[in-house]
Amino acid sequence: MLKNNNLKVTVKMAVKTLKSSRRRNISITLAILLSSFMLFSVLTAGAAYFKMQRIQNIRLNGGEFDAIVYGITDRQAELCQSNPEIKRCGTAAVSGYVAKAGTIIPDVGLIWADETYWNDIMAPARKWVKGRYPAAENEIMTTEAALEDCGFEGLDVGNEFTVIYGIQDEKYEKTFRISGLFDGYGPKNVFYVSEAFYKQSGFSPADVSSGRYCIDFKQDLMSPEKQEAFKDSLQLGKAQRLFFTGDFAFSVRILAGILGLIFVTCLCAWLLIYNIMYLSVAGNIRYYGLLQTIGMTGRQIYHLMYSQIIRLLGIGMSGGIIAGGLVSFFLIPIVIKSLGIKGDTPLPVSITFHPAILLLTVLLTWATVYTAGRKPVKAAMSCSPMEALGFRPSPGRVFRPAPLKGKLLFRLAKKQLTKDWKKTIIVMLSLAAAMSVFLCVTTLITSQGAREFVYNDRNVDIVLNNNTLRQEKKEKRLQIFDEPLLKNIEKLEGVADIEPVIYTEITVPWEPDFADLWMREFYETWMTIPYEDEIEEYKTHPENFGSSLVGITQADFEALNKSLDNPVDEDSFLKGRACLLYRDTLNLKDQNIAGKSVTCAEYGNPENTRTFKISGFTDTTDFTALTGYPPTIIVSDSAVKEFTEDPIICKLGIRYEEEYDEKTESRILSAVDQQTKDYSYESKIELMNNVKEAQGSMMEIGIGVVFILALIGVTNYINTLSGSIKSRVAELTTLESIGMTGKQMKKMLALEGLLYAGGGLFITGTLGTAVTYILYQSMNYMHAAFRMPVLPVLGSVILVLLICAFVPTAVYESESKSGTGYF
C-alpha cells in the first residue's frame, strides 16, 4: 500500500471524529480532566501539607535551623561560616540558671543569643516581641511564662526583680531589669541575657555544657553520606555532639516517600485513562480498519488518534487544573470550616500556589496520557482491514474453571470476572491504587497528629518534678511529695495510678574494673582536666564524687525495658540483683560492661554498700535525679527502700483513667499547689496543645488531601466500571433476550461490583498495606507508632462496597432509559 501525504486530511478527520463521537470523547476528556485534577490537587495540597510540617518543626525546635553542635571552637565556627552550602549560623549559649526566686525554686535557664540566632533563626518561631534584646549586663528578655514560673506575674518592660542565679557551683544574687518580652514557640522558661552577662559568666561557646551552635543549610535535602562528611569535616572532639533536626536528617527518605505517593497517584490516573482509551479503540476498531482500506497507513492512523488525544488533552487538562485550583483553594477550606475542624487551630488553612506544581502537573498528565494511549493506538495501527471486520475485544488469557455450583446469578457474575483477567485486574488495580493512596495518606496524617506524639517512655499523663533537688546543700533537698500528698492524689477523681521515682544519694567507690573504666570515659568526654589529676582524690575521697541510686516501679521498668535494644531480665531486676545505668552520652556499649558489676555506698554512710550486676544502658532522662561524675544507677524501688530508710521522690508520674483528661489534671495541680510550689511538671495535655499549635493548619490540609483522594477514588471506579459495562451491551442484551429480568440483571451486576470490590480490598489489604508501611516509615522521622486509623479505614471499606454495588446497576438503569437500542 502506497503512503499518502494527507496529514492535513488526518487533522480534519480528527476534528470531525471528535464532533461525531461526543459520548466517547467526553469519557476520555473526563478521564484526562480527572487525572490532571487529581495531580494538581494532590500536589498543591500536599505541598501545603509539607510546608506546614516544616513550620511545625521550626516551632517545635524554637527556630529555623537544620543542625545543632554542642560546643563549637573558633576554628569550627570559621569552617561553617565559610562553607558555601550554609546560609547562616547562630549561637545560643547557656549562661547559668535561676536557683531561687523568693521562696520558689523555678525551672528557668539563662541563655545568651547572638545577633544571628535572635534576629534570624528564632524569628520564624516568635509570635510577638515587646521591647528590645538586652544590652546592659543586668538586662533580660523573657516570656510571661518564665516570669510566672518565678512568681513574678504581671511584670512588664522596665520592671525589676531580684533572684539568686547559679553559674556552675556558685550562687549569686542579682537584680534584673526587663528590657523586653516576647512569646512564641519552643522553650519558654528562659531568661535571655546580654553578651556582657555571658562574658562574665565564665562560660565559652566551646564548652559542651554551654555552647549551642545552630546551622541553617541552603539546601533542603542532604543525603546521609553528605551529612556524615560534613560532620567529619568539623573534626569534633570527644565531648562535642552534632545533631541534625528530624526533618533534615531524614530529608532524602521523606523525598522518596513523597515521590512514592506521586507515583501511586499517577498509577491511578494511568489505569483510568488506559482503560477508557482501550475500550474506546476496541469499540471503533472496524472504523480504523476501514480507513486502511481507502489508503490510510498505520502511521497516519497514529497521527489521527494522537491529534484527537492532544485536543482532548488540552481541554481535559485545562479543566482539571481549573477544577483542582477551585477545590484546593476554595472548597477544602470551606469543607473543613463547615466540619468545625478549623476551630482547633489558631491559624487558617494555608494553601499556596507554586508555578512548579503547574509545570509538574502538565508534564505528568501528558506523560500519563501518552503512555496510557500507546497500546490502544498500537492496536489500532496494527489491525488489518480483514481483522477489523471480525474483531472482538481480546479476552486475554481466559480462565476456564470447572463447572461452578451455586446460585446462577453469582455464577454468572464470577464468570464475568474470570472471562477476561486482564480487564478484571485493571479494574481491581484501579480501585486498589486509589484506596492505597487514601490509606497511606490517612495513616500518615493520623499518625502524625498531636495525640500520637510520644512524650515520654513512661506512658504517663503528667510528671511532677521535685525542684528542691537543685539545691546545693543536701539538707535542703526535701521530700515535697510526702505520703499524705500521695494518698490525696490517689483519691482524686480520674486518677488511675501513680508511679513515683525515688532516689538516694550514693558514692561509687573506686575499683579497677568498672568504676575506673566509667570515670576515664567521663573525664575524656566532659572534663577539661585529665583523669590522672584527680584519680587519687577519687580513690581516697569518693564522697567528693556523688551520684544517685534511682528506684523505679514495676510499671516504669516494663515501659523502660521495651525501649531498650537489649531488654534485661525482669526477674533479676525486680529482685534487686541487676541494674541499668544512665549512659550520659558516653561512648560505652553493652559489650563494654558484659559480666561487670557496680558497687555503691550510701552517701555519708560508707559502711552501707550494695553491689548490682550491670545489665545495660539507657539514654532516657526520665529516670535521673542528681547526676554526678560516677554513673546514675537505676534499680527497682524495692531495692532502694531496702538500701536506705528515707528515699526521696524525685519524680512522680501520674496516669489518668481517661487520657487527656483536663479536669483530672486541674485537680492534681490544685492539690499539689496547696502543699508546695517547689515543683515543675511535664503535661501530656500541654505538650499536645503545643504540638497542635505548632502544626497550625497542617492537619486540616492533610484532611483536604484525603478528601480529594476519596473523591478521585470514587470517580475513578465509576468511570472504569461504566466503560466496562458499556462495552458489554451485546452480551447483556443477549441475556435479556433469553429471559433475564431487569431485577436479576441488577442483582448480577451488583454481585460483579462486589467481587471487584473484594479483589480491590484484598490488593489494598496486602500489597497496599505493605506499600503504605514502606512509604510511612520513609517519612516517619518523628518515630510515631504505625497505626492504621480504624474508623476512616472501616468507613472507606463500607463506602467502597456500597459504591461498587450501586454503580453497575445505576449505569444499567441509565443505558436502559437512554434509548440507545442496546437494552
Side-chain angles (χ1 to χ4, degrees):
M1 186 178 293
L2 297 176
K3 179 179 178 181
N4 297 317
N5 186 16
N6 53 5
L7 182 60
K8 292 183 179 179
V9 175
T10 59
V11 172
K12 289 181 179 179
M13 290 181 64
V15 175
K16 188 176 181 180
T17 305
L18 288 175
K19 294 179 180 178
S20 61
S21 304
R22 288 191 181 90
R23 190 170 183 178
R24 171 179 64 86
N25 293 325
I26 286 173
S27 297
I28 297 176
T29 304
L30 287 175
I32 296 172
L33 185 149
L34 184 63
S35 302
S36 56
F37 163 76
M38 171 170 58
L39 289 169
F40 184 84
S41 301
V42 170
L43 290 173
T44 302
Y49 175 83
F50 287 104
K51 174 185 174 184
M52 292 306 301
Q53 192 171 55
R54 172 67 175 169
I55 293 173
Q56 168 198 288
N57 294 327
I58 290 172
R59 291 172 174 176
L60 291 176
N61 294 331
E64 186 176 9
F65 56 89
D66 300 313
I68 182 169
V69 182
Y70 281 57
I72 188 79
T73 65
D74 292 340
R75 183 193 65 82
Q76 291 166 341
E78 288 175 5
L79 283 174
C80 292
Q81 291 164 6
S82 62
N83 191 325
E85 296 182 345
I86 293 177
K87 187 191 326 184
R88 55 181 167 236
C89 304
T91 302
V94 176
S95 309
Y97 63 96
V98 178
K100 200 167 186 179
T103 60
I104 298 175
I105 303 174
D107 183 18
V108 175
L110 304 177
I111 303 291
W112 167 66
D114 69 3
E115 188 174 346
T116 302
Y117 185 85
W118 176 259
N119 292 331
D120 299 325
I121 292 178
M122 277 189 68
R126 282 199 298 266
K127 296 179 183 177
W128 54 264
V129 178
K130 182 180 179 182
R132 58 173 175 77
Y133 193 83
E137 189 261 345
N138 67 329
E139 291 181 332
I140 64 159
M141 165 73 76
T142 185
T143 64
E144 293 174 345
L147 291 174
E148 184 178 347
D149 199 30
C150 293
F152 300 137
E153 300 94 332
L155 294 186
D156 204 344
V157 176
N159 294 145
E160 297 183 343
F161 59 85
T162 301
V163 296
I164 296 174
Y165 70 92
I167 297 178
Q168 296 180 345
D169 296 331
E170 302 296 327
K171 301 290 189 302
Y172 308 92
E173 184 174 352
K174 192 174 188 64
T175 299
F176 287 100
R177 184 173 71 251
I178 303 173
S179 67
L181 291 171
F182 78 97
D183 191 21
Y185 303 91
K188 294 187 178 182
N189 282 10
V190 174
F191 288 169
Y192 282 96
V193 298
S194 65
E195 185 176 5
F197 181 94
Y198 179 67
K199 286 181 177 179
Q200 61 85 38
S201 69
F203 285 110
S204 164
D207 297 333
V208 175
S209 59
S210 175
R212 306 290 182 264
Y213 196 70
C214 299
I215 303 170
D216 186 16
F217 289 93
K218 291 180 180 178
Q219 66 265 40
D220 294 326
L221 298 174
M222 183 178 281
S223 66
E225 294 77 16
K226 200 168 182 180
Q227 291 174 15
E228 196 62 31
F230 172 75
K231 189 175 180 179
D232 293 341
S233 70
L234 294 181
Q235 297 179 351
L236 299 176
K238 192 175 182 65
Q240 288 180 295
R241 298 289 185 271
L242 184 149
F243 301 100
F244 291 96
T245 58
D247 57 330
F248 194 78
F250 292 88
S251 56
V252 174
R253 286 175 53 182
I254 293 172
L255 177 63
I258 295 172
L259 293 177
L261 285 174
I262 293 174
F263 172 77
V264 179
T265 303
C266 290
L267 178 62
C268 293
W270 190 91
L271 289 168
L272 174 64
I273 294 171
Y274 172 83
N275 198 40
I276 292 178
M277 291 191 67
Y278 180 80
L279 293 173
S280 173
V281 170
N284 291 272
I285 198 70
R286 292 182 181 85
Y287 170 70
Y288 299 121
L290 291 172
L291 289 177
Q292 293 191 53
T293 64
I294 60 174
M296 183 172 281
T297 64
R299 188 65 182 172
Q300 290 166 340
I301 289 177
Y302 173 90
H303 284 298
L304 171 65
M305 294 189 68
Y306 267 107
S307 294
Q308 299 175 35
I309 290 173
I310 289 171
R311 285 163 174 78
L312 296 177
L313 175 64
I315 297 170
M317 188 163 55
S318 300
I321 291 174
I322 293 171
L326 291 173
V327 168
S328 299
F329 296 103
F330 299 104
L331 184 58
I332 289 177
I334 291 172
V335 170
I336 291 171
K337 186 175 181 180
S338 67
L339 293 174
I341 300 172
K342 182 173 177 287
D344 291 339
T345 59
L347 297 176
V349 178
S350 173
I351 297 179
T352 56
F353 171 75
H354 195 283
I357 293 176
L358 178 61
L359 179 62
L360 190 60
T361 301
V362 172
L363 292 176
L364 288 176
T365 305
W366 177 85
T368 302
V369 173
Y370 178 78
T371 55
R374 285 189 65 184
K375 191 165 184 179
V377 171
K378 187 177 179 181
M381 291 170 57
S382 60
C383 185
S384 68
M386 293 303 297
E387 290 173 330
L389 291 174
F391 177 82
R392 292 290 184 274
S394 174
R397 183 180 176 183
V398 179
F399 175 66
R400 303 184 183 279
L404 299 172
K405 297 181 180 180
K407 293 184 178 180
L408 177 62
L409 295 179
F410 179 77
R411 290 168 57 195
L412 289 172
K414 187 176 180 181
K415 187 176 180 180
Q416 178 59 38
L417 266 69
T418 59
K419 185 170 65 174
D420 188 348
W421 276 114
K422 185 176 182 179
K423 185 183 72 175
T424 299
I425 291 173
I426 288 176
V427 174
M428 288 183 178
L429 280 177
S430 176
L431 182 63
M435 290 181 61
S436 296
V437 176
F438 172 83
L439 175 65
C440 184
V441 175
T442 306
T443 302
L444 179 66
I445 290 170
T446 55
S447 296
Q448 294 294 332
R451 283 176 173 261
E452 301 300 327
F453 273 61
V454 179
Y455 300 110
N456 55 63
D457 292 329
R458 302 179 64 188
N459 192 29
V460 293
D461 294 279
I462 191 171
V463 177
L464 307 179
N465 299 304
N466 186 342
N467 287 353
T468 67
L469 269 62
R470 299 177 190 155
Q471 294 283 15
E472 185 177 354
K473 295 182 179 179
K474 186 177 185 299
E475 57 270 19
K476 291 187 177 181
R477 299 168 192 157
L478 307 176
Q479 180 69 287
I480 61 172
F481 304 131
D482 54 21
E483 194 65 28
L485 179 60
L486 296 185
K487 290 182 179 179
N488 187 19
I489 293 174
E490 284 180 327
K491 293 177 182 178
L492 292 176
E493 182 183 352
V495 174
D497 57 306
I498 60 176
E499 306 292 344
V501 176
I502 61 177
Y503 94 101
T504 188
E505 294 180 47
I506 59 169
T507 60
V508 179
W510 183 89
E511 45 84 19
D513 193 16
F514 172 73
D516 188 67
L517 170 70
W518 174 278
M519 293 297 280
R520 287 185 183 278
E521 184 67 24
F522 183 88
Y523 270 75
E524 287 182 14
T525 303
W526 292 113
M527 306 300 291
T528 57
I529 57 177
Y531 174 54
E532 282 70 19
D533 289 359
E534 296 193 337
I535 186 172
E536 290 302 322
E537 181 184 357
Y538 178 47
K539 288 180 178 180
T540 56
H541 298 285
E543 66 274 9
N544 294 340
F545 301 82
S547 188
S548 301
L549 179 68
V550 177
I552 61 177
T553 64
Q554 182 175 351
D556 275 343
F557 166 74
E558 291 172 353
L560 174 61
N561 208 24
K562 289 178 182 178
S563 69
L564 300 177
D565 294 332
N566 300 306
V568 305
D569 180 66
E570 181 174 349
D571 184 67
S572 179
F573 185 90
L574 294 178
K575 290 183 177 179
R577 296 194 295 267
C579 72
L580 289 165
L581 303 181
Y582 170 57
R583 199 191 316 256
D584 200 13
T585 73
L586 301 186
N587 188 26
L588 291 174
K589 309 295 182 184
D590 286 347
Q591 55 265 31
N592 296 128
I593 46 90
K596 296 184 183 295
S597 299
V598 59
T599 299
C600 64
E602 184 179 3
Y603 194 87
N605 184 14
E607 302 300 322
N608 181 19
T609 63
R610 185 153 183 178
T611 300
F612 301 94
K613 178 185 175 182
I614 306 173
S615 296
F617 293 104
T618 177
D619 297 311
T620 178
T621 58
D622 290 341
F623 306 106
T624 57
L626 293 173
T627 54
Y629 294 7
T632 295
I633 304 172
I634 303 171
V635 296
S636 66
D637 55 354
S638 59
V640 175
K641 291 174 182 177
E642 292 173 4
F643 182 72
T644 184
E645 295 181 356
D646 300 309
I648 294 177
I649 296 176
C650 58
K651 298 180 181 181
L652 187 63
I654 305 174
R655 195 173 293 109
Y656 306 156
E657 292 177 354
E658 196 173 315
E659 198 175 18
Y660 300 103
D661 188 345
E662 294 184 4
K663 292 182 179 179
T664 298
E665 187 157 300
S666 179
R667 295 187 195 101
I668 293 170
L669 295 177
S670 178
V672 179
D673 281 338
Q674 292 176 11
Q675 177 162 321
T676 180
K677 297 290 185 181
D678 293 333
Y679 78 99
S680 57
Y681 65 91
E682 300 164 21
S683 162
K684 186 185 287 189
I685 295 174
E686 285 195 3
L687 290 170
M688 179 196 70
N689 291 333
N690 290 338
V691 171
K692 188 181 291 184
E693 188 178 7
Q695 287 177 339
S697 54
M698 188 178 79
M699 291 296 106
E700 287 75 7
I701 293 171
I703 292 170
V705 175
V706 172
F707 172 76
I708 293 171
L709 290 172
L711 177 65
I712 289 167
V714 171
T715 313
N716 194 343
Y717 174 76
I718 291 173
N719 275 278
T720 304
L721 205 59
S722 296
S724 177
I725 291 175
K726 290 175 183 178
S727 69
R728 294 167 50 203
V729 291
E731 176 188 338
L732 298 178
T733 303
T734 302
L735 290 174
E736 282 187 331
S737 67
I738 60 175
M740 180 175 281
T741 65
K743 185 177 181 181
Q744 290 173 324
M745 184 75 73
K746 291 178 184 178
K747 186 174 181 180
M748 181 190 73
L749 293 173
L751 287 171
E752 283 184 28
L754 289 174
L755 289 173
Y756 279 122
L761 290 172
F762 175 78
I763 296 172
T764 304
T766 52
L767 181 61
T769 302
V771 171
T772 295
Y773 182 79
I774 293 171
L775 292 177
Y776 174 83
Q777 292 298 351
S778 72
M779 304 165 72
N780 184 27
Y781 61 90
M782 290 289 190
H783 304 291
F786 178 78
R787 293 191 186 95
M788 284 194 180
V790 177
L791 291 179
V793 170
L794 183 61
S796 65
V797 169
I798 295 172
L799 182 64
V800 165
L801 291 173
L802 291 175
I803 291 174
C804 288
F806 173 75
V807 168
T809 58
V811 174
Y812 168 77
E813 282 280 355
S814 174
E815 293 295 324
S816 298
K817 296 176 182 178
S818 65
T820 59
Y822 293 146
F823 295 94

